[in-house]
């Protein structure tokens, strides 16, 4: 058994606010293996984004242990362990698409030649070849989000952290991007952490679904998906798919998420 | 060219208002001239005229109203008279090769422009430096910002003589430097405020993104904050350069300067030649218009190069 890529042991995070402490994360135990596609699902305030931010060292846990590639999240970040995709594409309007993708490469000090080579490769991965010279405002929302995924893939991080990347897109575009993301995952063999609040999206994409609930933010269920790695869109009508979706829904309900 | 019609309409309305105002403003002067020329004027005594309103004088002397439009020293010159004076002190002198004569507005405009540009440069540097300090240091934010705001509540006319006196006290000769300081004093503020807003315009997610790359503070500044602030900067610069010009002219007014557009305005006032004041005023307005337009063009070019929808 190989060691996990991401490992959390009784992880706590409490924010001190003016209204008293907020327990964003409480007693999180989770292991994520290499090449897994893990979705975090739950209602607002369940800590799914906060947990992802802890992995990215954007938040500091107040208790417990968290390692990424066997290192602390801070060290892992400096070792360029992960690429992060935010809910908003967040492309710089004054940079063309290829210059946007070059941003992390410039900061990390890649040579010009290597930047160009990597930009071409990731543009191809997200099917945006030929759009490198365009500016963000010339692209649709879905294309912008693909460009931001390309930006996260440009340097060779083996972990891809995605915080509701398709949350702002309409369902048709979203389906298409989900398919593309699975292909990309199969080709690159990255470990993916994916925050969503869509049950079908979580079930369709993941090898492991982490169901969370709020106050305090905690894990209520971890489901290992029995679905095959090859997943056409119509797999969503199979009984297996519906059964997992049902279990996720039960998990969400068990977290008393809808009491108030 | 659809816009040309409303623009012309506004201009025409202004011209009509102006011409209408000339009659009551100049009726006294017109009657004095007519009186001296031996014409019949009602009332005949200058002192009696002094006590009557412009409207009554106009009603009593309808024949002399027209004279108000062609006085040598009108209280309110007509637009044509102003344009004439402006041309006589600029283009016509330049044609005769005397553009840099002390009577030429080109010469005075050049003196004012120099101080304006120095003040603008100084004010922009100070404003940007202040903005960077404010954005990166909470202490500076809390301590500098109130003073910046207070500085703009002090009337510049009150400060200008002191700045002139102090700078000559520390051995600075001529008026160029103190004028530039006064001009910078007015100009730095819009730049400071605009740059603070611009540098703070990137959202939390944008800053988080750079943190995930472990970007240094300098990188975050150069790659994110500075380019993001450009549209704000240019807006501020346009306000700033107009303020710098006003500052320079104010610096020339109460300080006994003998050259510069401000000095022309003051001299025109002292010698009772409103035409000279109006010509200098329009020269200043035209100068400001040119400067702002140049900045606007620079903004368009730079923002387009940056790929933004300008």
């Amino acid at each position: 058994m190989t060691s996990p890529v991401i490992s959390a042991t009784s992880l706590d995070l409490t924010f001190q606010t003016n209204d008293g402490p907020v327990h964003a994360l409480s007693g999180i135990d989770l292991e994520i293996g290499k090449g897994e596609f893990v979705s975090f699902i739950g209602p607002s305030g369940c800590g799914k984004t906060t947990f992802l931010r802890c992995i990215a060292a954007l938040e500091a846990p107040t208790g417990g242990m968290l390692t990424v590639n066997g290192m602390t999240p801070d060290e892992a970040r400096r070792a360029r362990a992960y690429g992060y995709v935010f809910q908003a594409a967040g492309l710089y309007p004054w940079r063309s698409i290829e210059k946007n993708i070059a941003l992390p490469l410039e900061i990390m000090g890649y040579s010009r030649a290597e930047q160009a080579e990597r930009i071409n490769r990731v543009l191809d991965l997200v099917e945006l070849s030929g759009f490198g010279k365009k500016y963000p405002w010339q692209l649709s929302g879905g294309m912008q989000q693909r460009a931001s995924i390309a930006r996260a893939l440009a340097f060779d991080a083996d972990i891809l952290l995605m915080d509701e990347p398709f949350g702002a897109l309409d369902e048709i575009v979203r389906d298409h991007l989900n398919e593309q993301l699975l292909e990309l995952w199969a080709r690159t063999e990255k470990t993916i952490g994916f925050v969503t609040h869509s049950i079908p999206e979580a079930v369709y994409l993941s090898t492991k679904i982490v169901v969370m609930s709020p106050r305090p933010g905690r894990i209520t269920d971890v489901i290992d998906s029995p679905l095959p790695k090859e997943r056409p869109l119509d797999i969503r009508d199979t009984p297996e798919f519906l059964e997992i979706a049902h279990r996720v829904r039960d998990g969400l309900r068990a977290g008393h998420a809808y009491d108030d | 060219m659809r816009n040309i019609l409303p623009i012309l309409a506004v201009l025409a309305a202004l011209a009509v208002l102006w011409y209408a105002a000339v009659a009551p403003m100049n009726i006294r002067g017109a009657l004095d001239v007519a009186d001296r020329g031996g014409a019949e004027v009602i009332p005949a005594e200058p002192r009696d005229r002094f006590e009557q309103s412009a409207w009554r004088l106009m009603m009593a002397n309808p024949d002399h109203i027209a004279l108000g439009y062609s006085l040598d020293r009108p209280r309110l010159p007509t637009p044509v008279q102003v344009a004439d004076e402006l041309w006589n002190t600029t283009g016509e002198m330049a044609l005769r090769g005397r553009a840099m004569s002390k009577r030429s507005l080109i010469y005075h405009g050049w003196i004012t422009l120099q101080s304006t540009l120095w003040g603008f440069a100084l004010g922009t540097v100070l404003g940007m430096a202040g903005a960077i300090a404010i954005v990166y240091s909470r202490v500076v934010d809390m301590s500098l910002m109130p003073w910046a705001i207070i500085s703009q509540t002090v009337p510049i006319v009150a400060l200008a003589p002191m700045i002139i006196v102090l700078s000559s006290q520390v051995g600075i000769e001529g008026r160029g430097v103190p004028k530039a300081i006064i001009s910078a004093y007015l100009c730095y503020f819009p730049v400071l405020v605009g740059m603070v807003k611009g540098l703070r315009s990137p959202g939390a997610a944008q800053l988080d993104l750079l943190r995930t790359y472990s970007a240094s503070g300098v990188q975050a500044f150069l790659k994110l904050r500075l380019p993001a602030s450009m549209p704000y900067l240019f807006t501020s610069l346009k306000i700033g350069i107009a303020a710098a010009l006003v500052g320079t002219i104010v610096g020339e007014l109460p300080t006994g300067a003998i050259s510069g557009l401000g000095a022309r305005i003051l001299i025109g006032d002292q010698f009772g030649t409103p035409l000279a004041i109006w010509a200098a005023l329009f020269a200043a307005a035209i100068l400001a218009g040119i400067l702002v337009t140049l900045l606007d063009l620079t903004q368009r070019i730079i923002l387009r190069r940056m790929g933004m929808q300008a």
Side-chain angles (χ1 to χ4, degrees):
Chain A
M1 165 99 193
T2 53
S3 59
V5 172
I6 294 163
S7 162
T9 322
S10 52
L11 195 71
D12 286 320
L13 175 54
T14 309
F15 290 115
Q16 298 300 335
T17 71
N18 289 335
D19 300 334
V22 171
H23 300 282
L25 293 174
S26 171
I28 301 289
D29 287 298
L30 189 70
E31 294 209 335
I32 299 176
K34 184 165 169 41
E36 278 196 275
F37 197 128
V38 182
S39 283
F40 300 89
I41 189 167
S44 311
C46 72
K48 53 194 192 297
T49 293
T50 308
F51 183 58
L52 210 64
R53 289 173 63 86
C54 284
I55 300 172
L58 292 173
E59 305 284 356
T62 46
M65 274 280 295
L66 178 63
T67 63
V68 178
N69 284 343
M71 296 176 272
T72 68
D74 244 345
E75 291 165 347
R77 173 164 83 198
R78 279 194 292 275
R80 294 164 200 169
Y82 66 87
Y84 203 105
V85 179
F86 291 85
Q87 178 166 12
L91 302 169
Y92 290 2
W94 57 88
R95 282 172 174 252
S96 62
I97 296 302
E98 56 185 21
K99 285 284 167 199
N100 264 293
I101 296 172
L103 178 70
L105 304 174
E106 287 169 16
I107 289 170
M108 294 168 186
Y110 286 87
S111 73
R112 290 222 164 248
E114 192 158 4
Q115 284 181 28
E117 186 266 319
R118 282 165 180 270
I119 289 165
N120 280 333
R121 197 180 62 209
V122 292
L123 275 177
D124 190 43
L125 265 178
V126 298
E127 295 176 30
L128 277 180
S129 299
F131 288 92
K133 300 271 185 246
K134 296 264 190 237
Y135 282 91
W137 55 272
Q138 296 172 301
L139 268 57
S140 69
M143 288 162 96
Q144 289 187 23
Q145 196 53 274
R146 265 145 65 193
S148 96
I149 294 171
R151 182 177 59 188
L153 293 171
F155 51 101
D156 290 320
D158 348 303
I159 306 170
L160 192 55
L161 301 174
M162 309 177 88
D163 184 6
E164 291 188 48
F166 309 137
L169 304 174
D170 67 67
E171 197 144 351
I172 299 166
V173 177
R174 198 175 177 145
D175 278 351
H176 181 58
L177 290 183
N178 281 343
E179 259 187 305
Q180 277 194 325
L181 182 59
L182 276 186
E183 271 172 44
L184 190 142
W185 173 61
R187 278 167 71 181
T188 56
E189 296 180 327
K190 306 232 180 241
T191 309
I192 299 184
F194 189 96
V195 166
T196 178
H197 45 223
S198 153
I199 296 174
E201 188 172 64
V203 179
Y204 176 66
L205 292 171
S206 321
T207 56
K208 183 185 270 181
I209 302 156
V210 179
V211 184
M212 300 179 73
S213 77
R215 285 180 293 274
R218 63 194 187 277
I219 295 176
T220 48
D221 196 5
V222 177
I223 303 161
D224 284 301
S225 172
L227 296 177
K229 217 175 165 179
E230 284 287 316
R231 297 177 188 182
L233 270 178
D234 51 20
I235 200 171
R236 295 182 297 187
D237 299 323
T238 61
E240 294 90 342
F241 188 96
L242 296 174
E243 196 189 320
I244 305 165
H246 191 77
R247 193 174 149 195
V248 173
R249 197 167 284 118
D250 278 348
L252 289 173
R253 213 170 273 143
H256 304 290
Y258 304 112
D259 281 357
D260 45 6
Chain B
M1 282 289 105
R2 271 183 310 133
N3 298 332
I4 201 86
L5 202 66
I7 292 173
L8 288 179
V10 169
L11 271 179
L14 284 176
V16 166
L17 266 180
W18 188 338
Y19 271 106
V22 167
M25 288 303 285
N26 288 348
I27 186 70
R28 287 173 205 281
L31 292 181
D32 287 343
V33 169
D35 196 8
R36 260 180 263 135
E40 195 187 326
V41 171
I42 308 163
E45 273 299 306
R47 194 185 306 162
D48 294 339
R49 287 203 298 273
F50 188 73
E51 283 171 358
Q52 293 203 350
S53 75
W55 311 109
R56 288 189 65 173
L57 289 174
M58 278 166 70
M59 283 196 283
N61 305 280
D63 297 343
H64 296 305
I65 292 177
L67 192 59
Y69 285 84
S70 54
L71 296 173
D72 281 342
R73 290 190 168 192
R75 201 170 276 181
L76 176 65
T78 65
V80 172
Q81 283 178 312
V82 174
D84 251 7
E85 171 77 6
L86 200 54
W87 169 251
N88 287 336
T89 47
T90 54
E92 202 247 357
M93 295 189 86
L95 287 182
R96 286 191 283 131
R98 300 183 54 229
M100 282 300 153
S101 146
K102 292 238 154 53
R103 291 177 47 82
S104 149
L105 281 182
I106 297 179
Y107 164 78
H108 292 288
W110 169 241
I111 298 285
T112 300
L113 176 65
Q114 280 177 312
S115 286
T116 302
L117 291 181
W118 279 113
F120 177 63
L122 186 63
T124 304
V125 169
L126 282 178
M128 288 181 75
I132 293 168
I134 283 175
V135 168
Y136 278 95
S137 159
R138 202 174 145 64
V139 177
V140 177
D141 185 12
M142 311 248 295
S143 53
L144 186 64
M145 206 55 185
W147 286 107
I149 293 166
I150 288 169
S151 78
Q152 300 302 300
T153 64
V154 180
I156 189 69
V157 212
L159 276 177
M162 287 199 284
I163 294 176
I164 307 254
V165 170
L166 286 178
S167 61
S168 81
Q169 197 67 33
V170 296
I172 297 168
E173 291 195 12
R175 296 194 183 270
V177 175
K179 265 158 59 183
I181 293 175
I182 295 164
S183 153
Y185 188 88
L186 281 192
C187 161
Y188 89 94
F189 188 68
V191 177
L192 176 89
V193 173
M195 273 306 273
V196 167
K197 195 157 171 50
L199 290 173
R200 281 186 178 153
S201 63
Q206 297 264 329
L207 293 166
D208 277 346
L209 179 70
L210 286 178
R211 278 176 68 195
T212 69
Y213 304 147
S214 310
S216 68
V218 176
Q219 283 171 327
F221 177 75
L222 290 178
K223 295 199 186 291
L224 176 59
R225 287 194 192 265
L226 195 60
S229 72
M230 279 300 129
Y232 297 85
L233 174 65
F234 275 105
T235 309
S236 304
L237 288 183
K238 279 189 266 184
I239 302 170
I241 197 146
L245 183 66
V246 170
T248 305
I249 290 176
V250 168
E252 288 163 351
L253 272 180
T255 54
I258 49 163
S259 49
L261 294 174
R264 289 299 291 179
I265 293 174
L266 194 68
I267 290 167
D269 184 47
Q270 286 162 346
F271 288 82
T273 48
L275 256 180
I277 302 181
W278 282 89
L281 214 60
F282 270 79
I286 291 167
L287 189 58
I290 293 172
L291 292 173
V292 172
T293 306
L294 283 178
L295 273 174
D296 193 54
L297 287 176
T298 319
Q299 172 184 26
R300 278 163 200 260
I301 293 168
I302 289 188
L303 290 192
R304 186 155 304 162
R305 277 233 179 128
M306 285 170 75
M308 290 200 216
Q309 277 171 302

